Amino acid sequence: MAKAVRILVAKPGLDGHDRGAKYIARALKDAGYEVIYTGIRQTPESIVVTAIQEDVDFVGLSLLSGAHNELFPKVVELLREKDASDIIVFGGGVIPTEDIPFLKEKGIEAVFTQGTPIKEITDFIEKRLEK
Amino acid sequence: MSEYKTINEKKADWEESTLKKVLDRFPEQQEEFVTGSGHPVERLYLPSGISEEEYIEKIGFPGEYPYTRGVQPTMYRGRFWTMRQYAGFGTAEESNQRYKYLLEQGQTGLSIAFDLPTQIGYDSDDSMSEGEVGKVGVAIDSLKDMEILFEGIPLDKVSTSMTINAPAAVLLAMYIAVAEKQGVTRDKLRGTIQNDILKEYIARGTYIFPPAPSMRLINNIFEFCSKEVPKWNTISISGYHIREAGSTAVQEIAFTIADGIEYVRNAIGVGLDVDSFAGRLSFFFNAHNDLLEEVAKYRAARRIWARVMKEKFNAKKEKSMMMRFHTQTGGSTLTAQQPDNNIVRVTIQTLAAVLGGTQSLHTNSRDEALALPSQESVMIALRTQQIVANESGVTSTIDPLAGSYYIEALTDRIASEAWDYIEKIETMGGMVKAIEKGYVQKEIQDSAYRYQRDVEDGNRIVVGVNKFTVEEEPPKGLLKVDPSLRTVQVEKLARVKGERDNVAVTASLKALKKGAETEDENLMPLILDAVKKYATLGEISGILREVFGEFQESIVL
Amino acid sequence: MDLVDKVQSGSIRGIARTISLIENNSPQKEDIIDELYPHTGNAMVWGITGPPGAGKSTLVDCLVKRERKQGRRVAVIAIDPSSPYSGGAILGDRVRMQKHSTDEGVYIRSMASRGHLGGLSVATGDAVKILDAAGYETIIIETIGVGQTEVEIIELCDIVLLVLVPGMGDEIQAMKAGVMEVGDIFVINKKDRDGADRLKTEVEYVLGIKNALTGEKPNPVLLASSKLDEGIDELVEAIHDYLKKAQATGRFEEKRRVRIEKEVHKIFSSKVHELLNIHLDIENNLGEWISSILNGETAPYKLIKSKLNRFVKENEII
């Protein structure tokens, strides 16, 4: 059996709109991945510790409040500090297109805005695993 | 002499002679047609043969039980609904400017959006607030911010709706304190606090305390306002967020009414007389794109609530049985793709709310799937309401779709399915129990998952998203909140803390703590005292967190 | 070996990586476990089991808090089922323990039930060894108490808490299913609910029958509310009390002996299985064997016996 791919789906910040995060979690499970879901209001610190303890391959961040430019890069930064920059970070939610280049520059490898089909996300995951 | 045939017999003839020929040559576009919520829709609806007696029992007259046709006898012939755009962002100063602009544009009520730290009871300088200050609404730390927010707005002239739940008591206290500084007495204040904690556990997520102390705070507000702020709507029982989380139309009204039942039962349980507070309960629903399903939904909701209040709680006053509600067009129906299409969606949704008899309405701006709405977009959204009110003609008669075979059938069906849910929740021991079991959350998530799968599989078309797509330039000129705003807000907070009488603050917080530790003391006067001393929202919430503890969500996937 | 050092030095990344190797049944795992083995045997392993919705995760959260107060380092392994269709899983137990996430003395790991070639209980047992060697003093395993695999996991523990709640309708089911056998301490959680006292009486009655037969002292049955954090101090006291007594009476040693015995058995049969699989090239030959049985050329026992006999002869084993 192939190695199980583990993904942390996390909601940083304070917004409680978890419809998207829960949909992604469930769809990724249906796609055969092991998904760790930790609920709303997670700080970047706790997301990073969780990612490391759970030895995940990916961290998917979901945020709808507009705090993505502050909180997404913070997660990448903390992963680097903890010598875990091999964990791949992607994000989604209400993210204006004009913010995406900034987020990518900060190490968020992919940004999926609302309405992205799940296939695009699983394609990203599979492609990234091949590397 | 031609033989007499019933409508159903005639229908069978029609199917055989006329319909079949066409269907054989031109099959319909889909095998099964469904509503926006996924319920089957028949090809053709026929007169239901309702008797006059049944009409009076189920449909009746506007302003009379069971209020299916509306809560006022003249509806929009008397007065249009309140056009109330939800707004607020950044600092109190910026939001104050936006409110004044909206009032100048002909808006008739204010609707305050608070930022997430405020909604969850954290001050701007709390580490939890990082990145969130001023983002989705205005940041309020102390009475000082509230004074700035309403500067130059006479609080005896406007009605103000505040989207605040877990710390609703604190924000209401601040509002009363600001009014008193303006020389406006409590009895003149008109407005609404959302104050609906149950849907926070179910769908929206900005809870602080566990259910029991949260329900107590709500009862405290009911009791305080019934004596002190009689024109205030003490709660806005909200289906909006339940629908946004992905529920169906039936689930939206069923779970909202089940929440309402829980609030009423609780208040009666602590000794309040049902007619002393029930008239101040208001509701808040979503408006989606399936216009006819939505209209039927509002009509069904009014009918059910009237029956619940009359039969279950023995309400005597008419006002206690009337479901008055605010509507907001559905945020989740907006698309980031081809954002101008959203103007059309919002127009349909506006018609749904108006044809459904709403008391007030917020129309979303076309760019809300992308960012905070720009001033120009907010204006178009408001104009949409004004066009429907003044130009469309749908306001000239009451409940204009009544008597449509489809609408009446749909109203009956939605009402009956919602009843089934309500009864199921009652047998589980009420809404708090159903939430703790994760039942309601699971029902909503399953609907949301089905819907999203349908969109992804192309079974459901969303224009511009999975059909009729175009290559687009990224939108420009979106409104952004200045990231340095937190620093400004933190500095302001530090100044307030430096200037206030800290001994008095400590004393008031101590008194609040003592009050919270008792079972039954009404906390409103204690909170009012603390906010007047400029105790911060974070300090007050912090004290209550110590006594009450925090809610832990139960995740069901 | 690098990972072994990392585990022993308590590196979270090292521990997490090593557990993944176990979960993925990596070839390196056997050497790693053997190297760590001499450093194990210090941790106390607690098993928490009970039906879904019994409040196990919240209870674990309360127990972690108490153990931390005593200054002990704590690790939690939370096991959730995988989807039988996709093989994927949603692991959500740690939600209730997230406030410990930034406490360096706490390590939490979620495991999905499938995807373990050597068996879930073997993987869990190895994960326990890794955490033990990394210096965690209390290791808590949380799992739904149904099925053979679950019982095997529970057998890895020095003490087992069976969590029940009133009003779920399955309490009597649990007793019938023999889960009662595995519990050392019984926790009636959500004691604020109606029927908690009645359930306690029922459990005590069933245990009374069991103990009358075996002549053992009755197991403790405690009321608690993990949500309200009530009855937890008493529970922790009962746990430590039980462990102390078990050590004094030799029951503890006996349990560990049985555990090693079972482990050796398991490793032995899986190794023999693996070995024969390779030598008999079952993957390629199985089709042919089935056909010969279907054709009536041979019968199942006869076939296997002849294959094994040939294997023994060819390798001059006897």
Side-chain angles (χ1 to χ4, degrees):
Chain A
M1 185 178 276
K3 176 188 176 306
V5 176
R6 290 166 69 87
I7 303 170
L8 171 63
V9 174
K11 273 195 68 58
L14 300 180
D15 85 81
H17 303 292
D18 54 8
R19 177 177 176 178
K22 284 181 169 169
Y23 175 70
I24 296 293
R26 211 160 141 173
L28 290 177
K29 171 194 142 184
D30 288 347
Y33 303 110
E34 284 182 6
V35 180
I36 291 106
Y37 182 66
T38 50
I40 62 171
R41 295 190 210 170
Q42 301 292 303
T43 61
E45 287 78 9
S46 84
I47 290 170
V48 167
V49 173
T50 303
I52 292 174
Q53 290 186 353
E54 297 285 357
D55 194 33
V56 296
D57 306 280
F58 295 87
V59 176
L61 302 170
S62 163
L63 190 61
L64 281 80
S65 69
H68 48 270
N69 282 348
E70 287 86 355
L71 298 176
F72 286 8
K74 186 92 188 272
V75 170
V76 177
E77 214 173 282
L78 287 171
L79 280 171
R80 265 187 209 137
E81 264 174 42
K82 304 234 170 188
D83 196 22
S85 51
D86 55 308
I87 298 176
I88 299 154
V89 179
F90 62 92
V94 179
I95 317 272
T97 326
E98 58 194 30
D99 288 352
I100 295 176
F102 169 79
L103 292 172
K104 288 204 167 161
E105 186 192 309
K106 290 286 175 191
I108 291 88
E109 292 206 11
V111 178
F112 303 102
T113 49
Q114 279 181 316
T116 307
I118 197 75
K119 177 96 183 17
E120 251 178 64
I121 301 175
T122 52
D123 283 350
F124 162 76
I125 290 169
E126 289 305 318
K127 213 180 203 168
R128 207 51 196 73
L129 283 171
E130 279 167 21
K131 274 197 198 169
Chain B
M1 204 175 94
S2 69
E3 139 195 35
Y4 174 78
K5 283 189 172 177
T6 66
I7 290 180
N8 279 327
E9 286 161 352
K10 288 289 263 183
K11 186 188 176 201
D13 289 351
W14 168 77
E15 280 172 346
E16 197 50 44
S17 57
T18 310
L19 176 68
K20 199 166 169 290
K21 272 184 270 174
V22 175
L23 279 185
D24 287 344
R25 287 169 55 208
F26 310 105
E28 291 174 327
Q29 294 190 54
Q30 297 163 38
E31 270 185 29
E32 194 194 21
F33 286 75
V34 295
T35 65
S37 297
H39 287 282
V41 181
E42 288 171 34
R43 177 176 297 111
L44 191 69
Y45 288 82
L46 296 175
S48 59
I50 184 174
S51 70
E52 293 207 349
E53 215 172 16
E54 278 173 300
Y55 173 87
I56 289 161
E57 188 197 311
K58 282 203 311 199
I59 302 171
F61 290 87
E64 281 184 9
Y65 187 87
Y67 306 100
T68 305
R69 302 204 62 172
V71 292
Q72 293 119 359
T74 60
M75 289 303 291
Y76 308 132
R77 290 166 67 100
R79 190 174 74 79
F80 291 137
W81 61 94
T82 305
M83 298 175 195
R84 199 195 288 278
Q85 296 298 98
Y86 181 55
F89 61 97
T91 58
E93 286 86 350
E94 286 171 279
S95 296
N96 177 262
Q97 291 302 315
R98 175 70 67 100
Y99 299 150
K100 285 179 177 164
Y101 168 81
L102 285 166
L103 290 171
E104 280 162 22
Q105 292 301 314
Q107 171 166 296
T108 46
L110 289 179
S111 176
I112 316 295
F114 297 99
D115 72 356
L116 286 163
T118 305
Q119 294 186 43
I120 307 174
Y122 294 117
D123 284 339
S124 298
D125 60 357
D126 196 294
S127 67
M128 288 297 285
S129 305
E130 192 180 348
E132 298 282 16
V133 175
K135 280 282 159 64
V136 302
V138 58
I140 301 291
D141 292 322
S142 72
L143 181 58
K144 187 86 202 158
D145 294 317
M146 207 69 162
E147 289 165 7
I148 299 166
L149 190 67
F150 294 108
E151 207 267 12
I153 300 171
L155 297 188
D156 51 347
K157 299 282 190 310
V158 292
S159 88
T160 304
S161 162
M162 295 193 270
T163 300
I164 193 74
N165 294 279
V170 185
L171 274 300
L172 174 61
M174 286 182 180
Y175 191 82
I176 294 170
V178 172
E180 287 178 352
K181 288 202 164 186
Q182 285 188 1
V184 177
T185 50
R186 297 172 187 183
D187 59 316
K188 295 209 175 57
L189 295 179
R190 286 178 304 124
T192 309
I193 40 174
Q194 199 163 75
N195 198 23
D196 172 12
I197 200 67
L198 293 175
K199 66 92 177 52
E200 296 295 333
Y201 303 134
I202 297 171
R204 189 165 173 269
T206 60
Y207 42 72
I208 305 176
F209 317 114
S214 295
M215 295 300 267
R216 170 201 176 168
L217 281 171
I218 291 168
N219 287 336
N220 287 172
I221 292 171
F222 284 1
E223 194 190 9
F224 178 85
C225 288
S226 71
K227 294 180 189 135
E228 304 275 329
V229 205
K231 287 185 195 158
W232 197 265
N233 293 316
T234 49
I235 194 165
S236 170
I237 309 165
S238 307
Y240 178 82
H241 315 90
I242 291 173
R243 190 67 177 278
E244 285 294 291
S247 82
T248 63
V250 169
Q251 288 169 341
E252 178 189 353
I253 62 164
F255 298 157
T256 306
I257 291 171
D259 284 346
I261 292 173
E262 190 79 55
Y263 293 125
V264 173
R265 187 169 29 226
N266 247 273
I268 292 174
V270 297
L272 300 184
D273 170 49
V274 63
D275 286 314
S276 78
F277 65 87
R280 298 320 307 175
L281 306 179
S282 65
F283 288 81
F284 173 19
F285 291 117
N286 208 309
H288 264 234
N289 289 335
D290 189 325
L291 189 144
L292 300 175
E293 180 174 52
E294 295 300 286
V295 172
K297 173 188 82 178
Y298 303 122
R299 300 174 87 243
R302 273 194 298 268
R303 183 190 293 171
I304 297 175
W305 183 248
R307 192 171 142 196
V308 164
M309 292 310 287
K310 185 175 183 174
E311 292 176 8
K312 194 174 175 70
F313 295 116
N314 295 314
K316 297 282 177 290
K317 283 193 191 164
E318 293 223 316
K319 273 214 121 177
S320 306
M321 299 177 231
M322 275 181 207
M323 173 185 267
R324 296 169 301 127
F325 63 90
H326 172 68
T327 306
Q328 179 171 338
T329 58
S332 64
T333 67
L334 302 183
T335 63
Q337 297 84 348
Q338 305 173 40
D340 285 350
N341 293 348
N342 292 326
I343 298 174
V344 182
R345 295 192 176 94
V346 169
T347 307
I348 296 171
Q349 295 161 2
T350 301
L351 275 170
V354 170
L355 291 167
T358 194
Q359 276 58 63
S360 61
L361 178 62
H362 164 104
T363 35
N364 285 327
S365 301
R366 59 183 163 171
D367 46 6
E368 270 173 83
L370 302 163
L372 280 173
S374 66
Q375 191 130 315
E376 194 199 343
S377 305
V378 173
M379 165 106 95
I380 296 173
L382 178 58
R383 292 290 180 257
T384 305
Q385 294 199 40
Q386 290 163 338
I387 291 168
V388 168
N390 295 288
E391 299 182 20
S392 75
V394 300
T395 54
S396 304
T397 186
I398 297 166
D399 189 24
L401 293 183
S404 144
Y405 309 136
Y406 179 43
I407 284 288
E408 294 299 352
L410 201 51
T411 305
D412 287 351
R413 201 210 67 215
I414 290 176
S416 126
E417 287 179 18
W419 261 118
D420 292 345
Y421 264 125
I422 292 167
E423 274 170 3
K424 171 139 199 202
I425 290 165
E426 284 298 283
T427 57
M428 291 173 95
M431 199 41 142
V432 170
K433 292 266 156 41
I435 291 168
E436 284 174 346
K437 285 200 171 105
Y439 168 73
V440 193
Q441 299 93 310
K442 176 85 179 140
E443 286 293 303
I444 296 170
Q445 271 163 39
D446 287 347
S447 301
Y449 193 71
R450 257 196 312 274
Y451 176 88
Q452 200 59 36
R453 280 279 158 190
D454 278 350
V455 172
E456 295 212 358
D457 298 343
N459 295 332
R460 187 182 282 277
I461 289 160
V462 183
V463 173
V465 174
N466 61 0
K467 207 170 182 180
F468 315 114
T469 54
V470 290
E471 284 292 320
E472 286 179 89
E473 284 286 302
K476 291 191 181 67
L478 299 175
L479 185 65
K480 274 249 170 87
V481 174
D482 182 359
S484 68
L485 189 133
R486 186 172 180 216
T487 329
V488 176
Q489 193 63 21
V490 167
E491 278 166 11
K492 202 179 356 165
L493 178 57
R495 253 196 325 276
V496 168
K497 283 188 179 172
E499 286 166 6
R500 68 186 185 182
D501 178 352
N502 278 307
V503 177
V505 170
T506 313
S508 69
L509 290 174
K510 226 182 229 167
L512 174 61
K513 186 168 186 200
K514 249 180 97 187
E517 280 161 351
T518 67
E519 290 265 310
D520 51 2
E521 185 170 354
N522 194 319
L523 300 182
M524 270 309 289
L526 296 168
I527 293 172
L528 196 53
D529 182 56
V531 303
K532 283 182 178 168
K533 306 259 163 50
Y534 292 89
T536 68
L537 173 70
E539 288 167 337
I540 294 170
S541 307
I543 288 286
L544 296 178
R545 272 189 167 94
E546 268 177 48
V547 181
F548 295 154
E550 289 193 59
F551 178 72
Q552 169 66 60
E553 68 176 318
S554 67
I555 288 179
V556 259
L557 278 164
Chain C
M1 193 181 284
D2 198 23
L3 271 180
V4 170
D5 290 341
K6 279 192 180 161
V7 168
Q8 280 191 267
S9 69
S11 146
I12 302 296
R13 265 237 107 175
I15 296 165
R17 278 277 160 89
T18 313
I19 294 179
S20 293
L21 289 182
I22 303 298
E23 285 205 277
N24 294 320
N25 208 28
S26 149
Q28 291 165 272
K29 81 164 197 191
E30 293 174 8
D31 290 342
I32 294 177
I33 294 298
D34 281 354
E35 257 190 82
L36 288 172
Y37 202 84
H39 308 283
T40 63
N42 305 312
M44 290 292 172
V45 185
W46 305 4
I48 315 284
T49 188
K56 295 185 292 295
S57 301
T58 315
L59 184 66
V60 171
D61 179 61
C62 293
L63 296 175
V64 170
K65 197 162 97 190
R66 296 308 192 289
E67 286 296 281
R68 289 299 294 148
K69 250 191 212 155
Q70 298 295 315
R72 279 186 280 271
R73 297 179 64 208
V74 190
V76 178
I77 301 173
I79 300 169
D80 268 329
S82 299
S83 155
Y85 306 106
S86 69
I90 288 181
L91 310 168
D93 285 332
R94 67 179 292 145
V95 172
R96 289 157 199 286
M97 310 166 202
Q98 269 309 75
K99 51 181 171 292
H100 301 295
S101 65
T102 46
D103 174 352
E104 290 186 359
V106 179
Y107 177 92
I108 304 167
R109 177 68 177 231
S110 316
M111 276 171 76
S113 61
R114 279 211 344 179
H116 305 285
L117 280 182
L120 176 62
S121 62
V122 175
T124 313
D126 286 344
V128 166
K129 285 181 204 114
I130 293 163
L131 294 166
D132 188 347
Y136 290 98
E137 295 154 283
T138 303
I139 299 171
I140 303 178
I141 305 176
E142 182 199 327
T143 177
I144 298 166
V146 283
Q148 180 57 28
T149 326
E150 302 286 342
V151 172
E152 281 175 16
I153 291 165
I154 283 311
E155 284 168 357
L156 299 166
C157 304
D158 297 312
I159 179 168
V160 175
L161 275 58
L162 180 58
V163 187
L164 298 167
V165 279
M168 291 198 51
D170 46 10
E171 49 263 36
I172 303 300
Q173 263 341 87
M175 292 178 202
K176 274 191 208 151
V179 186
M180 295 291 283
E181 305 293 323
V182 302
D184 297 307
I185 293 181
F186 293 79
V187 186
I188 313 295
N189 201 10
K190 309 195 182 178
K191 72 180 173 79
D192 51 322
R193 280 200 191 168
D194 289 343
D197 288 316
R198 201 184 59 232
L199 178 57
K200 181 172 190 277
T201 317
E202 283 172 21
V203 172
E204 280 169 340
Y205 174 73
V206 174
L207 289 174
I209 298 173
K210 185 188 112 187
N211 292 325
L213 292 172
T214 58
E216 281 175 44
K217 271 210 346 207
N219 301 71
V221 182
L222 299 169
L223 289 166
S225 166
S226 47
K227 202 175 75 184
L228 307 172
D229 202 343
E230 286 173 12
I232 309 294
D233 289 326
E234 293 79 356
L235 175 59
V236 174
E237 203 184 304
I239 293 170
H240 286 291
D241 204 43
Y242 175 93
L243 290 171
K244 232 179 269 163
K245 274 192 198 133
Q247 272 168 318
T249 57
R251 188 186 156 91
F252 193 75
E253 274 311 301
E254 181 54 32
K255 258 192 169 179
R256 292 203 164 183
R257 238 195 115 77
V258 172
R259 196 177 310 150
I260 293 172
E261 184 189 325
K262 287 196 169 161
E263 193 177 9
V264 169
H265 258 299
K266 243 183 224 155
I267 295 174
F268 177 76
S269 37
S270 80
K271 284 284 159 196
V272 170
H273 200 254
E274 222 173 89
L275 190 77
L276 287 170
N277 257 335
I278 296 165
H279 279 273
L280 299 180
D281 196 7
I282 295 193
E283 205 180 311
N284 286 318
N285 292 328
L286 193 62
E288 202 181 298
W289 296 359
I290 295 169
S291 305
S292 61
I293 294 171
L294 279 173
N295 294 341
E297 286 165 27
T298 182
Y301 281 114
K302 201 165 137 192
L303 174 95
I304 298 297
K305 249 194 265 175
S306 83
K307 297 290 172 196
L308 284 178
N309 279 338
R310 196 190 309 161
F311 169 76
V312 168
K313 262 183 212 150
E314 276 171 11
N315 292 283
E316 296 176 356
I317 291 171
I318 301 173

